[in-house]
Amino acid sequence: MECGSYRLLKKSSQCKARLGKVFTTRGVIDTPVFMPVGTNATVKGVANEYLHNSGAQIILANSYHLYLRPGTDIIEKAGGVQKFNSWDMPMLTDSGGFQIFSLNEIRKITEDGAEFQSHIDGSTHFFSPEKSMQVQKKIGADIIMCFDECTPYPSEYKDAKSSMELSLRWAKRCKDEFYKDNAFEKQALYGIIQGSVYNDLRKISAEEMVKMGFTGYAIGGLSVGEPKEDMHSVLENTVPLLPEDKARYLMGVGMPEDLWECVERGIDMFDCVIPTRNGRNGQVFTSCGKLNIRNAEFKEDFGPLDPECGCPTCKGYSKAYLNHLVRAQESLYLGLLSLHNIYFMINLMAKIRKSLENDTFLEAKKEFFKKYYERQLIVNS
């Protein structure tokens, strides 16, 4: 199978959700899938053996950050990012477009590419579509992404249109550069659909991307502050335009409730920093909803974070102890809470896949939401 290719196994009879597999040279990925984010080629505070044990199938790293530090030449000399970070399973790299977009005041976008200042030392750098491909080839992840411009929210229609058209031109250049050598034998290039919350722009972007022909397709520029209703509308209008035999990746979306809603609308792949970022801030996801472990209510709660979870944190530590660690600012909690949240997300996706196997997706979704929001309703009553 071609690296990054997708095989549809089963479609839900209830909605647009689907069960499938993505094939890479380092392993087969069951979808729908959540990808923990390891920006600097590490998932913050979580060692690889714990990631393996969680059931994580693929992790994401960012080419912008790795380009700046340690530098792509070092990663190439190590034999690629998986040799460098000792992760022997599939990886995906983001192109750096979103990070450059987020720099805002210290970057300049032109037709040629993006000039930006390093957030580390202020030095000036330039990423073109061609440079992004060269950087990601050196990093060596299994799936790499086109270099695009991520439109902020809100955006005027004319600005979103101009940005989307620029991303299309850059995508063509990315594809031309990617196929200059035999990188496609071990790597896959996914195109990114842009257009902000304007469905007519998304339609143009999707149709033009499909005409260009990529191994998979991502939907970018969402989860940047837009209302959930707008995100759902974009998916409902864009996903049906994408080929059934290609993976569909929604970039940067990862709240538990969003995973259900977006799988229902036909998405196969997700990534987000939320599980680890929120964990570092004391927030954990459980089968009974979100908890802020800092809260005083947990000072004498000697039960696990989630009695339904089998992660090392839940097996080994009580809420009272974790509350103490957070309040005392002991660094141990950073990894423990991040690890629990990753387990939760990975197990949630396994439940979703199981419901698709059994064709009971909507029933499983309803059951999850009822329990997930039950505690919140009690607290607010």
Side-chain angles (χ1 to χ4, degrees):
M1 297 289 289
E2 178 190 4
C3 183
S5 62
Y6 174 83
R7 179 188 294 165
L8 176 63
L9 298 180
K10 188 174 184 179
K11 293 162 64 173
S12 170
S13 67
Q14 303 174 321
C15 59
K16 295 187 182 299
R18 57 198 215 146
L19 189 71
K21 292 181 181 290
V22 171
F23 295 85
T24 77
T25 55
R26 289 186 177 87
V28 180
I29 303 159
D30 296 313
T31 65
V33 65
F34 178 81
M35 301 181 283
V37 174
T39 300
N40 288 298
T42 175
V43 177
K44 279 188 172 63
V46 182
N48 284 349
E49 53 265 38
Y50 291 119
L51 283 175
H52 278 295
N53 292 341
S54 77
Q57 303 177 75
I58 174 173
I59 61 174
L60 179 149
N62 185 263
S63 57
Y64 161 83
H65 289 277
L66 296 180
Y67 160 79
L68 291 175
R69 185 172 54 195
T72 49
D73 287 343
I74 289 176
I75 295 173
E76 187 179 35
K77 286 177 184 176
V81 65
Q82 280 107 320
K83 291 285 188 183
F84 186 60
N85 72 347
S86 301
W87 174 258
D88 59 358
M89 295 174 69
M91 284 188 70
L92 180 150
T93 44
D94 190 0
S95 69
F98 179 80
Q99 282 66 35
I100 293 169
F101 145 79
S102 64
L103 294 171
N104 197 12
E105 300 300 322
I106 54 174
R107 51 97 169 142
K108 179 183 177 183
I109 306 292
T110 66
E111 183 68 35
D112 290 336
E115 183 180 277
F116 60 95
Q117 288 179 261
S118 165
H119 70 287
I120 298 170
D121 60 12
S123 57
T124 300
H125 301 268
F126 181 79
F127 259 34
S128 64
E130 293 79 9
K131 179 67 174 285
S132 177
M133 293 297 96
Q134 292 158 11
V135 164
Q136 291 187 80
K137 284 182 183 183
K138 282 188 174 184
I139 293 171
D142 305 87
I143 299 171
I144 72 174
M145 304 304 298
C146 281
F147 188 61
D148 65 331
E149 184 182 21
C150 181
T151 312
Y153 179 85
S155 285
E156 295 290 336
Y157 183 88
K158 62 179 177 61
D159 296 328
K161 182 174 185 290
S162 175
S163 177
M164 179 273 292
E165 291 171 343
L166 177 63
S167 289
L168 284 176
R169 294 192 295 274
W170 283 0
K172 173 65 166 60
R173 290 165 57 188
C174 284
K175 185 178 179 185
D176 289 345
E177 181 67 26
F178 178 72
Y179 285 101
K180 276 185 176 178
D181 54 33
N182 63 348
F184 64 89
E185 293 177 359
K186 293 185 178 180
Q187 293 182 298
L189 177 63
Y190 282 16
I192 304 176
I193 294 156
Q194 291 288 354
S196 187
V197 295
Y198 303 104
N199 285 317
D200 60 329
L201 298 183
R202 291 283 180 174
K203 183 175 187 291
I204 293 168
S205 180
E207 290 176 344
E208 291 302 313
M209 281 287 183
V210 172
K211 283 180 188 175
M212 281 186 222
F214 290 93
T215 305
Y217 296 93
I219 297 174
L222 292 176
S223 196
V224 290
E226 79 284 349
K228 292 292 176 70
E229 296 78 12
D230 286 349
M231 177 172 72
H232 296 165
S233 175
V234 166
L235 296 181
E236 287 161 8
N237 285 276
T238 304
V239 170
L241 303 173
L242 303 178
E244 269 202 343
D245 63 346
K246 303 285 185 178
R248 302 158 178 173
Y249 166 27
L250 181 57
M251 306 181 77
V253 172
M255 290 297 285
E257 57 269 30
D258 291 335
L259 299 183
W260 285 100
E261 296 291 353
C262 298
V263 167
E264 184 176 343
R265 290 163 172 84
I267 296 298
D268 306 306
M269 302 171 67
F270 301 86
D271 82 278
C272 196
V273 298
I274 280 175
T276 48
R277 178 181 289 170
N278 286 24
R280 295 194 303 276
N281 289 317
Q283 186 184 76
V284 292
F285 301 120
T286 77
S287 58
C288 296
K290 295 188 285 285
L291 306 178
N292 189 333
I293 203 65
R294 297 175 184 273
N295 291 350
E297 64 181 296
F298 302 117
K299 288 181 74 173
E300 296 184 23
D301 187 333
F302 302 105
L305 289 173
D306 187 347
E308 295 184 13
C309 179
C311 78
T313 305
C314 288
K315 283 182 174 180
Y317 305 93
S318 69
K319 288 197 282 285
Y321 181 65
L322 294 166
N323 173 276
H324 160 68
L325 292 181
V326 174
R327 286 171 171 263
Q329 287 296 292
E330 285 289 344
S331 59
L332 177 60
Y333 86 87
L334 299 170
L336 290 177
L337 298 187
S338 295
L339 178 62
H340 166 79
N341 282 348
I342 287 173
Y343 261 78
F344 178 86
M345 300 297 273
I346 299 301
N347 289 335
L348 175 58
M349 298 311 286
K351 289 177 185 175
I352 289 175
R353 291 195 299 270
K354 189 67 175 178
S355 76
L356 291 171
E357 287 177 16
N358 298 332
D359 203 20
T360 56
F361 176 84
L362 292 184
E363 292 87 344
K365 177 189 171 188
K366 183 178 179 181
E367 182 181 343
F368 172 85
F369 274 60
K370 180 182 178 182
K371 189 169 185 181
Y372 190 70
Y373 289 115
E374 185 176 31
R375 183 179 185 276
Q376 185 176 320
L377 291 172
I378 294 171
V379 170
N380 294 337
S381 62

